[in-house]
Amino acid sequence: MQIKSGFSLTYDCPQPTPMLLTLNIHPSRRVDLLTPQLLSFSPEVEPWEYLDVYGNVCTRITAPAGQLTISTEFELYDAGLPDIVPLDARQHDIRDLPDETLIYLLGSRYCETDELANIAWNLFGQTPPGWPRVQGILDFVHQHIAFDYQKADRTRTAYGAYIDQTGVCRDFAHLALTFCRCMNIPARYCTGYLGDIGVPFNPDPMDFSGWFEVYLGGHWYSADARHNEPRIGRILMARGRDATDVALSTQFGPATLSSFSVTTYQMPDPIGQR
């Protein structure tokens, strides 16, 4: 299938403000592009890109005083298959984990493994290791947190989500991946596009989506506590320890997000194709 995606963000800056952006799709998905995916700036600024330590494409700019609009639009090929559910994927012993996965067992800014370790072992200590344990965590978090855009809080941590029992997709992801880390399963945060493909249409305004990946059986697998079902059409933008590492923008000075829109949808099949 073909998916069309994009966004438009407008920032108001009272003075020239350096910014760090994580708004490009992940290098692993660039092979699937059917049209270029480039960031556009109005007014024009001079951007430069680099790969961060997690392999994400980051963009550095200096936003001018006044309004700056950042946008992109692109088309991408997707296999149209739902997320893999690795029912038989085994959980590795700590000593057998690759070195590069160990950072995803540790606590981070939004994922307080120290606060949640005892809770995790009390809740999931009797679950079978491997994917059944991940599924048990997904089921619990899916039921424990009530999704509510009005209750979004960019400072809420995984422990805060456990206590508040409300939040948005990043809160579901933070709590579930922290529980996984507490249970010795490497887990990393993901952000990207996820449209209403293969599911009932949602009339709410579209947003970027947050989910996570777990390392089992020698591979990373997508997991999504908010939806708690395999989904079609994820387009990865960035991965990291938590939302801090994949923030859409980091401003080194005053800046206000004044306009925000995201689109992603399946394009109609070309005539003569099914």
Side-chain angles (χ1 to χ4, degrees), residues 6 10 45 63 80-81 119-120 124 135 166 179 182 190 198 204 207 209 254 259:
T10 298
V45 299
L81 300 175
I119 295 170
F124 311 112
Q135 188 62 62
T166 189
F179 278 149
C182 292
C190 300
D204 294 333
D207 197 349
S209 185
S259 176

Side-chain angles (χ1 to χ4, degrees), residues 36-52:
Q37 189 268 295
L38 301 171
L39 299 184
S40 297
F41 302 90
S42 180
E44 292 187 5
V45 299
E46 180 184 2
W48 64 101
E49 295 182 349
Y50 70 95
L51 285 179
D52 69 9

Side-chain angles (χ1 to χ4, degrees), residues 2-5 73 195-197 206 263-268:
Q2 295 183 21
I3 298 175
K4 189 168 187 174
S5 300
E73 187 175 79
D196 298 324
I197 300 174
M206 192 162 288
T263 60
T264 182
Y265 57 89
Q266 180 182 357
M267 299 180 66

Side-chain angles (χ1 to χ4, degrees), residues 110-111 137-138 141-142 145 157-158 161 167-181 187-191 209-214 223-227 241-243:
Y110 288 102
C111 302
I137 290 170
L138 293 174
V141 174
H142 182 73
I145 298 179
T157 65
V168 293
C169 56
R170 62 178 269 163
D171 298 301
F172 285 82
H174 280 151
L175 181 56
L177 75 84
T178 304
F179 278 149
C180 286
R181 291 177 186 175
R188 60 191 183 187
Y189 188 89
C190 300
T191 187
S209 185
W211 64 92
F212 68 106
E213 295 174 343
V214 294
D224 189 335
R226 180 198 166 185
H227 298 103
R241 294 166 300 174
D242 56 34

Side-chain angles (χ1 to χ4, degrees), residues 184-260:
N184 299 332
I185 300 170
R188 60 191 183 187
Y189 188 89
C190 300
T191 187
Y193 300 86
L194 180 62
D196 298 324
I197 300 174
V199 297
F201 173 73
N202 185 340
D204 294 333
M206 192 162 288
D207 197 349
F208 292 112
S209 185
W211 64 92
F212 68 106
E213 295 174 343
V214 294
Y215 188 82
L216 295 170
H219 300 279
W220 289 99
Y221 296 99
S222 294
D224 189 335
R226 180 198 166 185
H227 298 103
N228 200 23
E229 63 178 355
R231 293 292 298 268
I232 297 170
R234 293 187 197 275
I235 303 176
L236 179 68
M237 292 170 61
R239 301 184 178 107
R241 294 166 300 174
D242 56 34
T244 301
D245 294 329
V246 301
L248 301 178
S249 66
T250 302
Q251 299 85 244
F252 302 93
T256 302
L257 180 63
S258 59
S259 176
F260 178 94

